[in-house]
Amino acid sequence: MAGISKLGAERYGRMFAQLTDESWLFGVLVAAVFLVITLCLSYGIIYYLPLYQPTTEPAMAIMTTLKPLMFVFPVITAGLTFVAGFRAVKSYLSNKAIG
C-alpha cells in the first residue's frame, strides 16, 4: 500500500514540476493555497483546542488520541508551502534568465 501512495506522490511531484517550469505563477498560487491552509490549521490549534474541554469520557479518549495528530498536518502543509515557494522562485529565476 505504501508503494501505491509513493507512486502517486511521485507522479504529482513530476506534474507540479512540469507546471511550474511552464508557469512560475502556478507555483505561487499553490504556495499561497498551502500557506492559507497552514495558517488556518495553526490558528485552530492555538486558539480553539486549549479551550475545548469535553465532558464525557469517550470524547476525552478520542481527543487524547487525536491531539498529537493535530500538530502533524500544519507541519506537512508548511513543508508543502516551502517546496512550492522554492520551486516557484526557481522557475521564476530560470524563466527570467531565458527571457
Side-chain angles (χ1 to χ4, degrees), residues 1-77:
M1 183 148 206
I4 293 171
S5 63
K6 183 179 178 185
L7 291 175
E10 289 174 358
R11 186 178 81 219
Y12 289 124
R14 282 192 303 270
M15 287 171 47
F16 178 73
Q18 182 181 4
L19 288 170
T20 53
D21 284 343
E22 294 172 8
S23 172
W24 61 269
L25 188 57
F26 175 78
V28 170
L29 292 174
V30 171
V33 167
F34 280 125
L35 179 62
V36 168
I37 292 171
T38 302
L39 293 175
C40 290
L41 290 172
S42 300
Y43 179 80
I45 288 172
I46 292 169
Y47 290 105
Y48 292 118
L49 288 181
L51 300 175
Y52 181 69
Q53 298 293 326
T55 56
T56 61
E57 192 65 32
M60 287 183 82
I62 292 170
M63 287 303 294
T64 303
T65 304
L66 293 179
K67 200 165 190 171
L69 294 176
M70 293 179 190
F71 297 100
V72 172
F73 297 115
V75 171
I76 291 171
T77 56

